Amino acid sequence: MTATTLFILGLVGAGLLAAVGIVTIAVRRGSQAGPITGELDRLAVRRDRQARTEREAGGGTAVAVLAPAEAEESAAAPEEPPHDPLLERETVSSSEMGVTRRSFFNRSLLVIFGIFLGQFAIASLAFLWPKLKGGFGTPINVGNVDDLRAEILQGDGSIVPKFVAAAQSWIVPIPDNAIPGSSFEGLPVFAGGGGGEPELMALWQRCVHLGCRVPSCVPSQGFECPCHGSRYNFHGEYEAGPAPRNMDRFAVEVDGDTGALIVQTGQVIQTPRAKTKTIRYPQGPSCV
Ligand code: FES
């Protein structure tokens, strides 16, 4: 006989022993008799009342057949209160009483409430758990670098930023020669340039003042917030209004295999108000 067979036989034996134990306890509890201090059902109360009535009726007959001497003695003795079985109470433990209907309902309610609480906790956790794949907060492919540049850079030298909703970003170009000495120098906020082509940046659409979505304004070549009038040029540098800094931006990189621009929407980079601007603003009438 192998060790596995012995193990399985042991498990079966233990299970049988446990089953026998449970059945024994259940039978013993069911056969327990005697007065208890729990709630009496209507049948028991009615039975007790009937027994008391019969006893009182029998006591009257007994007094009638007493001898005169005994009757005198009995009359002289103080009358004892009638025996009432309902007053006979004995304290028993809760295990002896077993599970009453009330405790059963109480426990059921507790179990239901516990299940509900557990489900609520799991649902809340699932809702709050960060998405690990896809969606805002993760790396997002916003398109091929060359295609993006062709779409954004116009023939007359003006810029039409491309908005990518999935990345909540405005994609804008910045020439290589504008970066040294700017507030972006040394930061991983541009990619895809070189060979005379401008780099690309991904500006977060949120206004850094109070979080309104900032639309682009092609006539002025800038971003102009409709909420409180903050203005930024097309590189997201602060120009005017209550905004405390430049527009926030995301770290970007180019996928070496596909040539796609990847926006790291989980990596927000802040920069202070620019002292030296890298692009002129406004270049035309404002939109707000
Ligand atoms: S939220 Fe944009 S200026 Fe206030």
Side-chain angles (χ1 to χ4, degrees):
M1 200 175 287
T2 64
T4 312
T5 314
L6 279 174
F7 179 71
I8 292 170
L9 283 175
L11 272 182
V12 171
L16 279 174
L17 273 178
V20 168
I22 289 168
V23 170
T24 308
I25 290 169
V27 168
R28 280 193 61 200
R29 279 196 177 176
S31 65
Q32 275 175 350
I36 58 172
T37 56
E39 301 261 343
L40 293 172
D41 63 14
R42 281 194 196 144
L43 186 61
V45 170
R46 204 181 305 135
R47 213 183 294 134
D48 288 341
R49 199 178 292 143
Q50 191 181 347
R52 187 168 42 190
T53 310
E54 283 173 9
R55 200 166 37 255
E56 283 171 3
T61 309
V63 169
V65 296
L66 283 177
E70 287 175 326
E72 275 175 27
E73 205 175 298
S74 168
E79 198 173 311
E80 281 190 15
H83 176 68
D84 188 349
L86 283 177
L87 296 177
E88 282 181 10
R89 300 203 171 210
E90 184 184 336
T91 305
V92 293
S93 68
S94 56
S95 62
E96 285 173 313
M97 275 188 69
V99 180
T100 64
R101 191 169 14 181
R102 180 177 298 176
S103 66
F104 173 75
F105 279 121
N106 285 345
R107 285 177 201 176
S108 302
L109 278 177
L110 269 178
V111 168
I112 291 169
F113 182 68
I115 291 172
F116 169 76
L117 211 63
Q119 285 181 336
F120 178 74
I122 290 169
S124 304
L125 202 64
F127 177 73
L128 295 173
W129 202 261
K131 283 185 182 173
L132 297 179
K133 203 175 177 193
F136 188 73
T138 65
I140 292 178
N141 180 338
V142 295
N144 181 273
V145 170
D146 293 332
D147 295 343
L148 288 168
R149 264 198 298 259
E151 197 176 337
I152 293 167
L153 287 166
Q154 307 303 301
D156 61 359
S158 65
I159 294 170
V160 177
K162 179 179 171 66
F163 182 67
V164 182
Q168 298 185 15
S169 302
W170 289 105
I171 309 299
V172 294
I174 181 169
D176 270 330
N177 58 12
I179 294 170
S182 74
S183 46
F184 319 124
E185 189 175 11
L187 298 175
V189 294
F190 45 84
E197 296 289 351
E199 309 274 356
L200 293 175
M201 293 194 290
L203 310 180
W204 197 359
Q205 65 167 356
R206 280 177 81 245
C207 179
V208 296
H209 179 223
L210 291 178
C212 289
R213 180 180 180 276
V214 188
S216 67
C217 177
V218 174
S220 67
Q221 293 284 283
F223 297 99
E224 300 175 352
C225 182
C227 293
H228 312 101
S230 288
R231 297 179 183 197
Y232 315 85
N233 62 34
F234 264 171
H235 290 168
E237 292 166 323
Y238 170 85
E239 291 283 354
R245 59 182 185 271
N246 296 335
M247 287 175 75
D248 293 339
R249 54 208 71 214
F250 299 112
V252 289
E253 62 194 33
V254 175
D255 186 320
D257 297 331
T258 62
L261 185 70
I262 308 297
V263 178
Q264 303 283 353
T265 54
Q267 200 177 338
V268 181
I269 294 174
Q270 299 180 353
T271 53
R273 287 181 177 181
K275 291 194 175 71
T276 308
K277 309 291 169 51
T278 54
I279 191 172
R280 190 163 56 88
Y281 173 87
Q283 298 182 30
S286 292
C287 300
V288 295

